Amino acid sequence: HIAVILLAAIVFLLVLHHNILGLSDVLKSEDSDPSRLVPQNIDSPPDAPRKVHEEGPGKEVAVVIPAVEDRLGGLIAAINSISSNTEANVVFYILTTNDTKEHIRSWIDNTDLKRVKYKLVTFDARVLDGKVRVDSGAEPVKPLTFARFYLPDLVPGLKNTIYLDDDVIVQGDIQDLYDTPIQTGHAAAFSEDCDSVTSKSLLRGAGNQYNYIGFLDYKKERIRKLGMKANTCSFNPGVFVANLTEWRRQNITKQLEKWMELDVVEELYSKTLAGSITSPPLLIVFYKRHSIACRF
Ligand SMILES: *[C@@H]1O[C@H](CO)[C@@H](O)[C@H](O)[C@H]1NC(C)=O
Ligand SMILES: *[C@@H]1O[C@H](CO)[C@@H](O)[C@H](O)[C@H]1NC(C)=O
Ligand SMILES: *[C@@H]1O[C@H](CO)[C@@H](O)[C@H](O)[C@H]1NC(C)=O
């Protein structure tokens, strides 16, 4: 009898835990609470010997991260979380728009961040003209949100990079993420939103926020014609590793732009978007064409 109660309690806690995580995903765009934690690296328990990087501090680990003016606290928290957990030679490429660049620069000079290696990169928001649907009454989406679609243009000299949203806290060594193997022919590695336990047993029927159908309008012919399974697990657009060589070769940016433009005309995204507005084009373009990054 007690065992049954105990089991029920555990299941309840798991569901609660998952719901909280899910909720914070939904709130991500409004709320940049830096306490939202990225799950720990399951591959390296805390007592495991720390990986030694033979190549020393010379090899650059590039991290691209947006600096949105009204949540700079999140930016600091994210950068500090990376710097304090790694010995790697991390260089941050901090994205700004033309009109906020000078403000961000002077602001950084007055914070601890001036001690990390960083470069300011300007994202020209004009490339988004005609590509972002503005729903009447809705808060306009910040242009920097879409900068991740243009990675190869933003950091033209780089072959590989990590992209990170400014509301992510990294608890593991960023080097491990950077070293994520990306399959030949894949341009990026993402971590998927669902794992076998939550998707198969506990949350069956409890909504579809971790599936493609939570992001795309399957009533639209154009979406159905893609033949993507509606229950495919979605992935997190807030953290990924990209092979920019492959990204350029496959014209990923062009493909993403195509789906943005189509959405403006045909409203292809789910009305009750289950997460980031940047998810739908990424889910389409990278359907069965991305590697898996471990949760870290
Ligand atoms: C960026 O701002 C500077 C001065 O504020 C201006 O001269 C320049 O034309 C702007 N560039 C773009 C691409 O808007
Ligand atoms: C990136 O992709 C290019 C082109 O497909 C490939 O030659 C290269 O080995 C890849 N790099 C990594 C780190 O996977
Ligand atoms: C990418 O674009 C270039 C030039 O626009 C084109 O020549 C090439 O075929 C495209 N590659 C793919 C894989 O679509």
Side-chain angles (χ1 to χ4, degrees), residues 25-176:
D25 267 357
V26 173
L27 296 178
K28 203 162 97 180
S29 49
E30 293 89 24
D31 172 18
S32 59
D33 181 0
S35 67
R36 193 177 78 94
L37 300 183
V38 168
Q40 298 249 25
N41 186 352
I42 45 172
D43 286 347
S44 49
D47 53 351
R50 212 177 159 79
K51 209 200 269 175
V52 182
H53 302 297
E54 265 105 87
E55 298 172 68
K59 203 173 157 226
E60 171 180 324
V61 172
V63 177
V64 176
I65 185 165
V68 178
E69 235 181 342
D70 51 12
R71 17 175 235 249
L72 294 177
L75 178 72
I76 292 207
I79 290 180
N80 281 340
S81 75
I82 293 169
S83 304
S84 60
N85 285 309
T86 188
E87 306 277 299
N89 175 27
V90 183
V91 178
F92 294 95
Y93 292 82
I94 300 177
L95 303 178
T96 66
T97 47
N98 196 29
D99 53 338
T100 61
K101 189 171 188 172
E102 290 315 314
H103 172 220
I104 305 271
R105 189 195 299 284
S106 62
W107 176 82
I108 288 177
D109 283 343
N110 289 308
T111 67
D112 278 352
L113 291 190
K114 63 176 181 288
R115 283 190 272 124
V116 305
K117 281 191 214 163
Y118 74 91
K119 292 176 186 159
L120 285 185
V121 175
T122 308
F123 173 61
D124 185 350
R126 289 175 302 185
V127 297
L128 298 175
D129 288 351
K131 299 189 183 74
V132 180
R133 181 152 51 92
V134 189
D135 293 328
S136 55
E139 184 100 345
V141 182
K142 299 239 181 334
L144 278 180
T145 308
F146 298 98
R148 73 196 79 188
F149 292 179
Y150 297 88
L151 281 180
D153 304 338
L154 293 169
V155 287
L158 296 183
K159 290 201 175 94
N160 300 287
T161 188
I162 292 174
Y163 175 86
L164 212 66
D165 266 339
D166 56 354
D167 61 349
V168 170
I169 297 294
V170 175
Q171 294 186 315
D173 189 337
I174 196 81
Q175 180 84 49
D176 293 339

Side-chain angles (χ1 to χ4, degrees), residues 221-242:
E221 175 76 22
R222 195 182 288 278
I223 294 296
R224 280 208 310 271
K225 272 200 325 216
L226 292 171
M228 305 183 301
K229 278 196 175 151
N231 66 355
T232 308
C233 188
S234 56
F235 49 76
N236 180 356
V239 186
F240 59 87
V241 193

Side-chain angles (χ1 to χ4, degrees), residues 160 182 184-185 243 245-246 249:
N160 300 287
I182 301 181
T184 312
N243 179 337
T245 312
E246 193 59 34
R249 203 179 64 76

Side-chain angles (χ1 to χ4, degrees), residues 246-252 254-255 289:
E246 193 59 34
W247 190 297
R248 289 183 187 103
R249 203 179 64 76
Q250 294 183 31
N251 298 335
I252 298 283
K254 277 256 156 2
Q255 297 186 50
R289 306 195 62 163

